Amino acid sequence: MTRIHARQALLPSGWADNVEVHVGEDGRIASVNVMETTTGDAVPPERSGEWTRVDTLLPAPVNAHSHAFQRAMAGLTERRGPDLKDTFWTWRELMFRFLDQLTPDDVEAITAFVQMEMLECGYATSVEFHYLHHCPDGQPYDALAEMSERIVAAAAISGIGLTLLPVHYQYGGCDRRPLRDGQRRFGTDLDQYARLLDGANRSVASLAPDAGTGVAPHSLRAVAKDAFSSLAALAEGRPIHLHLAEQIAEVDELVASYGKRPVEWVLDTLAPDEQWCMIHCTQMLPHETEGLARSGAIAGLCPITEANLGDGNFDGSRWLSNGGALAIGSDSNVRISLAEELRMLEYSQRLRDHSRAALATSEQSTGRRLFDAALAGGTQAAGRDCGKIAPGGWADLMTLDSTSVDLDGRRGDLILDSFIFAGDDGMVRDVWSAGRHRVREGKHTDRLSIELRYRETMRQLSQAL
């Protein structure tokens, strides 16, 4: 049993001092006790030695949306083309050309490195939106779920919690045009997708008890509208994630083909609820934002990637005021940072509305509201029993470094405000995922071997490009 003593901890009831957390061998929180003591912050002598003593203990959030292989592209797409105009769509063409070089071994090495970085910045779980299924020519591997198995293998190396979402991606657009060269590695028809999902389920079942799966129709552009009922049946109550309303051109294509905007069509046709996580939603009108928020579906936000790709601003103020749930993800993994994702979300609201503390309330500071929302929404998006320091849930935990100059003397919600708006990943000291203590003193326990393998993979890729 792992025993943690925290000077202060964020519990479901709020902040508490002198907290003891026991984690069972099954990776779940066995007990949480708030101790009374007259010795200030000191750990009672009878509890010294066998305990991990920390300053600030927090639930560790879920990274709700990742395309792991894109981490290897970070920094390689920041130039304009010959026509001096660059957009999401030109970036996508570069991405297609890049992924044609990737082997299963490459994907495993890159994914393990990405997951290590996620853990080091405070995420305990990764929800992998996985669409790189086949060989470069579009032919399946001998094992149809080969690439899914490599995501699972990477999670076994990194120790991160995993919700694997194999993606159904059948068409190149709303007109059902065939997939082009760069998309052929993604393609599945419904029958093949069902078999691929079954293979992914078997692979994940061999990993760890906290690992899970879900279903991911890539987008309204890439999936026929009559396929959604079959995909929902395949989910069997597990999470369903969908790219929705990310780009203006995407909205225009849907209007031309369906006669409705993407969010309008989803609300009218799919009746989304808490099982659904809609990724991005940066192109919504006010009535769409309000309607989707009230549906119970989660908004899966990736503010760093959305800024990097010029997607637009999510209307977080309107969304939260209508009771919407949100989760945070790193998407393209151009920069993996929990604090920066939350900061970018808040700053995007301030820049749009010429305001400050845009997402704060009279009861909660900005940092506290953002962190609480990311915890609750991430739990829902991953289909994972986590997000709180309470008995019975998975022990997904993180600690912050009290010696950081920006945390010195801070307590309660000021800790979260300082972490998000003045801090960086260096504040994260420890991370447990389902009780696996994989980050200690700010570094992953297997950083050296994971990084060496990634460096070698990148050297080989750079020669091939």
Side-chain angles (χ1 to χ4, degrees):
M1 179 174 287
T2 298
R3 298 171 173 86
I4 304 168
H5 179 277
R7 186 174 68 88
Q8 60 179 336
L10 182 58
L11 306 182
S13 58
W15 289 98
D17 293 337
N18 199 24
V19 177
E20 295 182 351
V21 178
H22 293 190
V23 180
E25 293 182 359
D26 61 357
R28 292 186 178 272
I29 297 173
S31 65
V32 180
N33 303 305
V34 180
M35 309 300 293
E36 294 185 6
T37 179
T38 58
T39 58
D41 295 334
V43 178
E46 65 273 15
R47 293 183 173 86
S48 62
E50 62 185 271
W51 293 74
T52 298
R53 182 181 178 182
V54 304
D55 184 79
T56 301
L57 184 67
L58 302 168
V62 167
N63 184 325
H65 188 68
S66 166
H67 308 301
F69 74 88
Q70 291 180 16
R71 171 63 179 85
M73 293 173 57
L76 300 180
T77 62
E78 303 304 325
R79 296 184 180 186
R80 290 185 175 184
D83 60 357
L84 298 182
K85 184 172 178 59
D86 195 58
T87 68
F88 167 86
W89 305 101
T90 54
W91 172 88
R92 193 177 74 151
E93 292 299 320
L94 291 171
M95 185 264 288
F96 288 164
R97 293 202 296 271
F98 178 81
L99 64 84
D100 272 351
Q101 309 300 320
L102 298 178
T103 69
D105 283 345
D106 295 338
V107 168
E108 182 180 320
I110 294 165
T111 302
F113 186 78
V114 168
Q115 293 171 348
M116 177 192 73
E117 290 187 311
M118 291 178 186
L119 285 160
E120 288 185 345
C121 75
Y123 295 114
T125 299
S126 174
V127 179
E128 182 63 23
F129 195 98
H130 173 61
Y131 55 80
L132 185 57
H133 299 313
H134 307 312
C135 300
D137 63 359
Q139 292 300 308
Y141 289 99
D142 290 341
L144 182 59
E146 167 78 18
M147 285 296 205
S148 292
E149 293 170 5
R150 296 309 187 103
I151 303 296
V152 172
I157 294 167
S158 71
I160 203 166
L162 178 67
T163 298
L164 178 61
L165 306 176
V167 170
H168 178 49
Y169 196 126
Q170 189 167 5
Y171 301 113
C174 294
D175 59 359
R176 301 194 181 191
R177 58 186 177 269
L179 300 179
R180 299 188 297 106
D181 291 346
Q183 300 168 311
R184 290 194 178 114
R185 300 192 76 171
F186 313 157
T188 53
D189 59 29
L190 274 173
D191 177 68
Q192 188 183 51
Y193 179 73
R195 290 185 285 114
L196 191 151
L197 178 63
D198 183 62
N201 287 337
R202 290 196 303 271
S203 183
V204 168
S206 70
L207 181 56
D210 60 296
T213 60
V215 166
H218 180 271
S219 59
L220 298 183
R221 290 178 290 108
V223 175
K225 52 186 168 183
D226 56 7
F228 281 94
S229 58
S230 298
L231 293 168
L234 286 172
E236 298 180 330
R238 291 168 296 183
I240 305 173
H241 288 222
L242 171 71
H243 284 141
L244 184 64
E246 181 179 3
Q247 287 282 322
I248 294 173
E250 174 186 15
V251 174
D252 292 343
E253 183 177 353
L254 261 292
V255 170
S257 295
Y258 289 12
K260 293 182 179 180
R261 293 168 56 84
V263 176
E264 291 174 333
W265 188 87
V266 163
L267 289 172
D268 291 346
T269 308
L270 299 184
D273 56 16
E274 291 81 359
Q275 186 180 3
W276 289 79
C277 181
M278 305 301 185
I279 306 300
H280 301 309
C281 297
T282 47
Q283 299 297 327
M284 292 199 295
L285 300 177
H287 73 278
E288 296 171 337
T289 302
E290 294 164 4
L292 193 59
R294 290 194 291 264
S295 75
I298 312 142
L301 308 178
C302 310
I304 292 175
T305 294
E306 289 154 7
N308 182 267
L309 297 180
D311 291 345
N313 283 340
F314 176 77
D315 191 349
S317 302
R318 189 182 303 274
W319 180 267
L320 290 177
S321 67
N322 281 273
L326 61 83
I328 294 294
S330 59
D331 194 352
S332 69
N333 297 303
V334 66
R335 173 81 174 111
I336 302 172
S337 172
L338 169 61
E340 289 183 26
E341 295 285 2
L342 296 172
R343 184 188 312 151
M344 180 71 76
L345 173 57
E346 168 64 19
Y347 282 177
S348 69
Q349 310 302 297
R350 297 184 188 190
L351 288 168
R352 183 193 61 226
D353 299 335
H354 309 288
S355 67
R356 290 203 73 257
L359 300 180
T361 68
S362 57
E363 294 81 23
Q364 288 187 316
S365 71
T366 311
R368 176 64 184 276
R369 194 181 191 202
L370 286 168
F371 197 77
D372 280 359
L375 288 172
T379 296
Q380 186 178 331
R384 182 180 176 87
D385 186 10
C386 61
K388 56 185 181 298
I389 303 176
W394 293 114
D396 289 0
L397 306 168
M398 63 181 288
T399 73
L400 298 179
D401 182 9
S402 62
T403 67
S404 168
V405 65
D406 291 306
L407 295 182
D408 189 21
R410 308 287 169 89
R411 297 183 59 76
D413 288 353
L414 284 176
I415 291 284
L416 295 174
D417 293 334
S418 299
F419 170 53
I420 294 170
F421 295 102
D424 56 28
D425 302 342
M427 288 184 174
V428 177
R429 303 306 294 163
D430 299 272
V431 178
W432 291 261
S433 176
R436 299 179 290 269
H437 194 178
R438 300 316 303 268
V439 176
R440 300 172 186 260
E441 297 184 359
K443 298 296 182 184
H444 193 280
T445 53
D446 293 320
R447 168 168 266 281
L448 180 59
S449 60
I450 292 172
E451 182 178 326
L452 283 173
R453 184 182 179 191
Y454 177 76
R455 286 179 181 274
E456 179 58 31
T457 297
M458 291 303 297
R459 279 194 289 268
Q460 294 174 0
L461 285 173
S462 66
Q463 294 171 2
L465 290 174

